[in-house]
PDB file of all heavy atoms in Angstrom:
ATOM      1  N   GLU A 586      95.841 106.533 102.299  1.00 98.00           N
ATOM      2  CA  GLU A 586      95.442 105.726 103.449  1.00 98.00           C
ATOM      3  C   GLU A 586      94.392 106.496 104.239  1.00 98.00           C
ATOM      4  O   GLU A 586      94.681 107.528 104.834  1.00 98.00           O
ATOM      5  CB  GLU A 586      96.648 105.413 104.331  1.00 98.00           C
ATOM      6  CG  GLU A 586      97.768 104.687 103.594  1.00 98.00           C
ATOM      7  CD  GLU A 586      98.978 104.442 104.480  1.00 98.00           C
ATOM      8  OE1 GLU A 586      98.789 103.915 105.598  1.00 98.00           O
ATOM      9  OE2 GLU A 586     100.101 104.781 104.061  1.00 98.00           O
ATOM     10  N   LEU A 587      93.163 105.989 104.246  1.00 98.00           N
ATOM     11  CA  LEU A 587      92.030 106.668 104.857  1.00 98.00           C
ATOM     12  C   LEU A 587      91.596 105.905 106.110  1.00 98.00           C
ATOM     13  O   LEU A 587      91.310 104.716 106.043  1.00 98.00           O
ATOM     14  CB  LEU A 587      90.877 106.741 103.857  1.00 98.00           C
ATOM     15  CG  LEU A 587      89.626 107.519 104.242  1.00 98.00           C
ATOM     16  CD1 LEU A 587      89.953 108.987 104.516  1.00 98.00           C
ATOM     17  CD2 LEU A 587      88.580 107.404 103.136  1.00 98.00           C
ATOM     18  N   THR A 588      91.561 106.619 107.247  1.00 98.00           N
ATOM     19  CA  THR A 588      91.224 105.994 108.524  1.00 98.00           C
ATOM     20  C   THR A 588      90.116 106.785 109.203  1.00 98.00           C
ATOM     21  O   THR A 588      90.143 108.013 109.223  1.00 98.00           O
ATOM     22  CB  THR A 588      92.456 105.948 109.453  1.00 98.00           C
ATOM     23  OG1 THR A 588      93.525 105.276 108.788  1.00 98.00           O
ATOM     24  CG2 THR A 588      92.136 105.206 110.738  1.00 98.00           C
ATOM     25  N   PHE A 589      89.133 106.072 109.782  1.00 98.00           N
ATOM     26  CA  PHE A 589      88.036 106.690 110.514  1.00 98.00           C
ATOM     27  C   PHE A 589      88.087 106.237 111.973  1.00 98.00           C
ATOM     28  O   PHE A 589      88.122 105.038 112.254  1.00 98.00           O
ATOM     29  CB  PHE A 589      86.684 106.290 109.914  1.00 98.00           C
ATOM     30  CG  PHE A 589      86.531 106.655 108.466  1.00 98.00           C
ATOM     31  CD1 PHE A 589      86.049 105.724 107.562  1.00 98.00           C
ATOM     32  CD2 PHE A 589      86.873 107.913 108.001  1.00 98.00           C
ATOM     33  CE1 PHE A 589      85.894 106.039 106.212  1.00 98.00           C
ATOM     34  CE2 PHE A 589      86.729 108.247 106.659  1.00 98.00           C
ATOM     35  CZ  PHE A 589      86.231 107.309 105.763  1.00 98.00           C
ATOM     36  N   THR A 590      88.059 107.207 112.901  1.00 97.00           N
ATOM     37  CA  THR A 590      88.163 106.918 114.327  1.00 97.00           C
ATOM     38  C   THR A 590      87.076 107.674 115.082  1.00 97.00           C
ATOM     39  O   THR A 590      86.881 108.870 114.866  1.00 97.00           O
ATOM     40  CB  THR A 590      89.539 107.349 114.872  1.00 97.00           C
ATOM     41  OG1 THR A 590      90.576 106.708 114.117  1.00 97.00           O
ATOM     42  CG2 THR A 590      89.688 106.972 116.340  1.00 97.00           C
ATOM     43  N   ALA A 591      86.379 106.988 115.977  1.00 95.00           N
ATOM     44  CA  ALA A 591      85.346 107.636 116.783  1.00 95.00           C
ATOM     45  C   ALA A 591      85.991 108.555 117.813  1.00 95.00           C
ATOM     46  O   ALA A 591      86.896 108.149 118.554  1.00 95.00           O
ATOM     47  CB  ALA A 591      84.486 106.587 117.481  1.00 95.00           C
ATOM     48  N   VAL A 592      85.531 109.811 117.862  1.00 92.00           N
ATOM     49  CA  VAL A 592      85.973 110.779 118.858  1.00 92.00           C
ATOM     50  C   VAL A 592      84.740 111.472 119.423  1.00 92.00           C
ATOM     51  O   VAL A 592      83.610 111.194 119.018  1.00 92.00           O
ATOM     52  CB  VAL A 592      86.958 111.810 118.260  1.00 92.00           C
ATOM     53  CG1 VAL A 592      88.260 111.141 117.850  1.00 92.00           C
ATOM     54  CG2 VAL A 592      86.333 112.529 117.071  1.00 92.00           C
ATOM     55  N   GLU A 593      84.957 112.388 120.356  1.00 89.00           N
ATOM     56  CA  GLU A 593      83.836 112.986 121.083  1.00 89.00           C
ATOM     57  C   GLU A 593      82.810 113.643 120.174  1.00 89.00           C
ATOM     58  O   GLU A 593      81.601 113.490 120.370  1.00 89.00           O
ATOM     59  CB  GLU A 593      84.368 114.024 122.072  1.00 89.00           C
ATOM     60  CG  GLU A 593      83.287 114.684 122.896  1.00 89.00           C
ATOM     61  CD  GLU A 593      83.841 115.624 123.944  1.00 89.00           C
ATOM     62  OE1 GLU A 593      85.059 115.899 123.929  1.00 89.00           O
ATOM     63  OE2 GLU A 593      83.050 116.079 124.799  1.00 89.00           O
ATOM     64  N   ASP A 594      83.266 114.370 119.161  1.00 87.00           N
ATOM     65  CA  ASP A 594      82.353 115.147 118.335  1.00 87.00           C
ATOM     66  C   ASP A 594      81.904 114.433 117.070  1.00 87.00           C
ATOM     67  O   ASP A 594      81.254 115.032 116.221  1.00 87.00           O
ATOM     68  CB  ASP A 594      83.000 116.482 117.962  1.00 87.00           C
ATOM     69  CG  ASP A 594      83.166 117.384 119.174  1.00 87.00           C
ATOM     70  OD1 ASP A 594      82.172 117.593 119.877  1.00 87.00           O
ATOM     71  OD2 ASP A 594      84.290 117.852 119.429  1.00 87.00           O
ATOM     72  N   GLY A 595      82.253 113.175 116.919  1.00 92.00           N
ATOM     73  CA  GLY A 595      81.831 112.437 115.729  1.00 92.00           C
ATOM     74  C   GLY A 595      82.886 111.453 115.281  1.00 92.00           C
ATOM     75  O   GLY A 595      83.281 110.553 116.018  1.00 92.00           O
ATOM     76  N   THR A 596      83.365 111.634 114.056  1.00 95.00           N
ATOM     77  CA  THR A 596      84.357 110.733 113.467  1.00 95.00           C
ATOM     78  C   THR A 596      85.553 111.534 112.985  1.00 95.00           C
ATOM     79  O   THR A 596      85.409 112.496 112.214  1.00 95.00           O
ATOM     80  CB  THR A 596      83.756 109.960 112.283  1.00 95.00           C
ATOM     81  OG1 THR A 596      82.705 109.121 112.757  1.00 95.00           O
ATOM     82  CG2 THR A 596      84.807 109.095 111.595  1.00 95.00           C
ATOM     83  N   LEU A 597      86.733 111.144 113.443  1.00 95.00           N
ATOM     84  CA  LEU A 597      87.960 111.760 112.938  1.00 95.00           C
ATOM     85  C   LEU A 597      88.324 111.089 111.623  1.00 95.00           C
ATOM     86  O   LEU A 597      88.596 109.890 111.579  1.00 95.00           O
ATOM     87  CB  LEU A 597      89.098 111.606 113.937  1.00 95.00           C
ATOM     88  CG  LEU A 597      90.483 112.016 113.418  1.00 95.00           C
ATOM     89  CD1 LEU A 597      90.527 113.511 113.088  1.00 95.00           C
ATOM     90  CD2 LEU A 597      91.574 111.650 114.414  1.00 95.00           C
ATOM     91  N   LEU A 598      88.301 111.845 110.548  1.00 97.00           N
ATOM     92  CA  LEU A 598      88.739 111.378 109.239  1.00 97.00           C
ATOM     93  C   LEU A 598      90.199 111.767 109.082  1.00 97.00           C
ATOM     94  O   LEU A 598      90.555 112.946 109.195  1.00 97.00           O
ATOM     95  CB  LEU A 598      87.881 112.010 108.143  1.00 97.00           C
ATOM     96  CG  LEU A 598      88.189 111.676 106.685  1.00 97.00           C
ATOM     97  CD1 LEU A 598      86.928 111.816 105.826  1.00 97.00           C
ATOM     98  CD2 LEU A 598      89.289 112.587 106.100  1.00 97.00           C
ATOM     99  N   SER A 599      91.055 110.797 108.829  1.00 97.00           N
ATOM    100  CA  SER A 599      92.479 111.043 108.654  1.00 97.00           C
ATOM    101  C   SER A 599      92.929 110.419 107.340  1.00 97.00           C
ATOM    102  O   SER A 599      92.798 109.210 107.147  1.00 97.00           O
ATOM    103  CB  SER A 599      93.273 110.449 109.824  1.00 97.00           C
ATOM    104  OG  SER A 599      94.665 110.693 109.679  1.00 97.00           O
ATOM    105  N   LEU A 600      93.420 111.239 106.433  1.00 97.00           N
ATOM    106  CA  LEU A 600      93.858 110.777 105.121  1.00 97.00           C
ATOM    107  C   LEU A 600      95.349 111.040 104.969  1.00 97.00           C
ATOM    108  O   LEU A 600      95.788 112.193 104.942  1.00 97.00           O
ATOM    109  CB  LEU A 600      93.083 111.512 104.020  1.00 97.00           C
ATOM    110  CG  LEU A 600      93.538 111.258 102.574  1.00 97.00           C
ATOM    111  CD1 LEU A 600      93.366 109.790 102.206  1.00 97.00           C
ATOM    112  CD2 LEU A 600      92.774 112.156 101.610  1.00 97.00           C
ATOM    113  N   LEU A 601      96.134 109.970 104.897  1.00 97.00           N
ATOM    114  CA  LEU A 601      97.573 110.082 104.682  1.00 97.00           C
ATOM    115  C   LEU A 601      97.856 109.842 103.198  1.00 97.00           C
ATOM    116  O   LEU A 601      97.584 108.759 102.676  1.00 97.00           O
ATOM    117  CB  LEU A 601      98.332 109.063 105.523  1.00 97.00           C
ATOM    118  CG  LEU A 601      99.860 109.094 105.346  1.00 97.00           C
ATOM    119  CD1 LEU A 601     100.453 110.314 106.041  1.00 97.00           C
ATOM    120  CD2 LEU A 601     100.499 107.814 105.867  1.00 97.00           C
ATOM    121  N   ILE A 602      98.388 110.863 102.523  1.00 97.00           N
ATOM    122  CA  ILE A 602      98.701 110.765 101.097  1.00 97.00           C
ATOM    123  C   ILE A 602     100.220 110.707 100.941  1.00 97.00           C
ATOM    124  O   ILE A 602     100.936 111.559 101.468  1.00 97.00           O
ATOM    125  CB  ILE A 602      98.153 111.963 100.313  1.00 97.00           C
ATOM    126  CG1 ILE A 602      96.652 112.133 100.561  1.00 97.00           C
ATOM    127  CG2 ILE A 602      98.426 111.797  98.819  1.00 97.00           C
ATOM    128  CD1 ILE A 602      96.073 113.384  99.909  1.00 97.00           C
ATOM    129  N   THR A 603     100.693 109.702 100.217  1.00 97.00           N
ATOM    130  CA  THR A 603     102.117 109.575  99.932  1.00 97.00           C
ATOM    131  C   THR A 603     102.362 109.885  98.461  1.00 97.00           C
ATOM    132  O   THR A 603     101.823 109.212  97.573  1.00 97.00           O
ATOM    133  CB  THR A 603     102.637 108.159 100.248  1.00 97.00           C
ATOM    134  OG1 THR A 603     102.385 107.868 101.630  1.00 97.00           O
ATOM    135  CG2 THR A 603     104.136 108.063  99.990  1.00 97.00           C
ATOM    136  N   TYR A 604     103.147 110.925  98.205  1.00 96.00           N
ATOM    137  CA  TYR A 604     103.475 111.367  96.853  1.00 96.00           C
ATOM    138  C   TYR A 604     104.846 110.826  96.445  1.00 96.00           C
ATOM    139  O   TYR A 604     105.650 110.441  97.306  1.00 96.00           O
ATOM    140  CB  TYR A 604     103.487 112.893  96.789  1.00 96.00           C
ATOM    141  CG  TYR A 604     102.153 113.541  97.053  1.00 96.00           C
ATOM    142  CD1 TYR A 604     101.807 113.976  98.333  1.00 96.00           C
ATOM    143  CD2 TYR A 604     101.231 113.722  96.036  1.00 96.00           C
ATOM    144  CE1 TYR A 604     100.580 114.569  98.582  1.00 96.00           C
ATOM    145  CE2 TYR A 604      99.996 114.314  96.271  1.00 96.00           C
ATOM    146  CZ  TYR A 604      99.682 114.738  97.554  1.00 96.00           C
ATOM    147  OH  TYR A 604      98.466 115.320  97.789  1.00 96.00           O
ATOM    148  N   PRO A 605     105.146 110.821  95.152  1.00 95.00           N
ATOM    149  CA  PRO A 605     106.454 110.311  94.722  1.00 95.00           C
ATOM    150  C   PRO A 605     107.612 111.196  95.156  1.00 95.00           C
ATOM    151  O   PRO A 605     108.728 110.713  95.345  1.00 95.00           O
ATOM    152  CB  PRO A 605     106.332 110.237  93.196  1.00 95.00           C
ATOM    153  CG  PRO A 605     105.216 111.153  92.848  1.00 95.00           C
ATOM    154  CD  PRO A 605     104.266 111.112  94.002  1.00 95.00           C
ATOM    155  N   ASP A 606     107.388 112.496  95.292  1.00 94.00           N
ATOM    156  CA  ASP A 606     108.453 113.397  95.719  1.00 94.00           C
ATOM    157  C   ASP A 606     107.840 114.711  96.207  1.00 94.00           C
ATOM    158  O   ASP A 606     106.636 114.950  96.087  1.00 94.00           O
ATOM    159  CB  ASP A 606     109.459 113.659  94.590  1.00 94.00           C
ATOM    160  CG  ASP A 606     108.809 114.177  93.316  1.00 94.00           C
ATOM    161  OD1 ASP A 606     108.077 115.187  93.400  1.00 94.00           O
ATOM    162  OD2 ASP A 606     109.023 113.577  92.243  1.00 94.00           O
ATOM    163  N   ALA A 607     108.700 115.580  96.750  1.00 95.00           N
ATOM    164  CA  ALA A 607     108.228 116.832  97.335  1.00 95.00           C
ATOM    165  C   ALA A 607     107.659 117.786  96.289  1.00 95.00           C
ATOM    166  O   ALA A 607     106.725 118.546  96.566  1.00 95.00           O
ATOM    167  CB  ALA A 607     109.361 117.508  98.104  1.00 95.00           C
ATOM    168  N   ASP A 608     108.222 117.785  95.081  1.00 94.00           N
ATOM    169  CA  ASP A 608     107.736 118.686  94.035  1.00 94.00           C
ATOM    170  C   ASP A 608     106.286 118.374  93.677  1.00 94.00           C
ATOM    171  O   ASP A 608     105.455 119.283  93.527  1.00 94.00           O
ATOM    172  CB  ASP A 608     108.624 118.596  92.802  1.00 94.00           C
ATOM    173  CG  ASP A 608     109.992 119.233  93.012  1.00 94.00           C
ATOM    174  OD1 ASP A 608     110.104 120.059  93.944  1.00 94.00           O
ATOM    175  OD2 ASP A 608     110.926 118.906  92.268  1.00 94.00           O
ATOM    176  N   VAL A 609     105.982 117.085  93.515  1.00 92.00           N
ATOM    177  CA  VAL A 609     104.608 116.693  93.197  1.00 92.00           C
ATOM    178  C   VAL A 609     103.688 117.052  94.350  1.00 92.00           C
ATOM    179  O   VAL A 609     102.580 117.580  94.152  1.00 92.00           O
ATOM    180  CB  VAL A 609     104.533 115.190  92.880  1.00 92.00           C
ATOM    181  CG1 VAL A 609     103.082 114.752  92.729  1.00 92.00           C
ATOM    182  CG2 VAL A 609     105.312 114.873  91.611  1.00 92.00           C
ATOM    183  N   ARG A 610     104.130 116.774  95.577  1.00 93.00           N
ATOM    184  CA  ARG A 610     103.337 117.119  96.762  1.00 93.00           C
ATOM    185  C   ARG A 610     102.977 118.602  96.766  1.00 93.00           C
ATOM    186  O   ARG A 610     101.808 118.976  96.934  1.00 93.00           O
ATOM    187  CB  ARG A 610     104.130 116.783  98.017  1.00 93.00           C
ATOM    188  CG  ARG A 610     103.443 117.113  99.331  1.00 93.00           C
ATOM    189  CD  ARG A 610     104.442 117.268 100.459  1.00 93.00           C
ATOM    190  NE  ARG A 610     105.286 118.450 100.253  1.00 93.00           N
ATOM    191  CZ  ARG A 610     106.322 118.779 101.027  1.00 93.00           C
ATOM    192  NH1 ARG A 610     106.651 118.008 102.038  1.00 93.00           N
ATOM    193  NH2 ARG A 610     107.023 119.871 100.787  1.00 93.00           N
ATOM    194  N   ASP A 611     103.975 119.460  96.553  1.00 94.00           N
ATOM    195  CA  ASP A 611     103.739 120.903  96.621  1.00 94.00           C
ATOM    196  C   ASP A 611     102.871 121.394  95.461  1.00 94.00           C
ATOM    197  O   ASP A 611     102.050 122.305  95.629  1.00 94.00           O
ATOM    198  CB  ASP A 611     105.077 121.645  96.628  1.00 94.00           C
ATOM    199  CG  ASP A 611     105.870 121.382  97.898  1.00 94.00           C
ATOM    200  OD1 ASP A 611     105.274 120.919  98.885  1.00 94.00           O
ATOM    201  OD2 ASP A 611     107.090 121.625  97.905  1.00 94.00           O
ATOM    202  N   THR A 612     103.044 120.780  94.295  1.00 92.00           N
ATOM    203  CA  THR A 612     102.232 121.169  93.141  1.00 92.00           C
ATOM    204  C   THR A 612     100.761 120.873  93.386  1.00 92.00           C
ATOM    205  O   THR A 612      99.881 121.691  93.091  1.00 92.00           O
ATOM    206  CB  THR A 612     102.713 120.437  91.873  1.00 92.00           C
ATOM    207  OG1 THR A 612     104.068 120.826  91.595  1.00 92.00           O
ATOM    208  CG2 THR A 612     101.833 120.780  90.688  1.00 92.00           C
ATOM    209  N   VAL A 613     100.479 119.695  93.957  1.00 91.00           N
ATOM    210  CA  VAL A 613      99.094 119.314  94.224  1.00 91.00           C
ATOM    211  C   VAL A 613      98.487 120.210  95.297  1.00 91.00           C
ATOM    212  O   VAL A 613      97.359 120.701  95.159  1.00 91.00           O
ATOM    213  CB  VAL A 613      99.019 117.832  94.645  1.00 91.00           C
ATOM    214  CG1 VAL A 613      97.606 117.479  95.091  1.00 91.00           C
ATOM    215  CG2 VAL A 613      99.448 116.931  93.489  1.00 91.00           C
ATOM    216  N   LEU A 614      99.222 120.466  96.373  1.00 92.00           N
ATOM    217  CA  LEU A 614      98.694 121.295  97.448  1.00 92.00           C
ATOM    218  C   LEU A 614      98.425 122.723  96.973  1.00 92.00           C
ATOM    219  O   LEU A 614      97.493 123.384  97.448  1.00 92.00           O
ATOM    220  CB  LEU A 614      99.659 121.303  98.634  1.00 92.00           C
ATOM    221  CG  LEU A 614      99.813 119.986  99.397  1.00 92.00           C
ATOM    222  CD1 LEU A 614     100.821 120.146 100.524  1.00 92.00           C
ATOM    223  CD2 LEU A 614      98.482 119.518  99.955  1.00 92.00           C
TER     224      LEU A 614
END
Side-chain angles (χ1 to χ4, degrees):
E586 302 178 50
L587 185 60
T588 304
F589 302 133
T590 304
V592 294
E593 181 175 9
D594 292 308
T596 296
L597 171 64
L598 179 153
S599 181
L600 173 62
L601 179 74
I602 306 175
T603 302
Y604 296 94
D606 55 54
D608 289 340
V609 173
R610 179 202 67 186
D611 293 343
T612 298
V613 173
L614 292 179

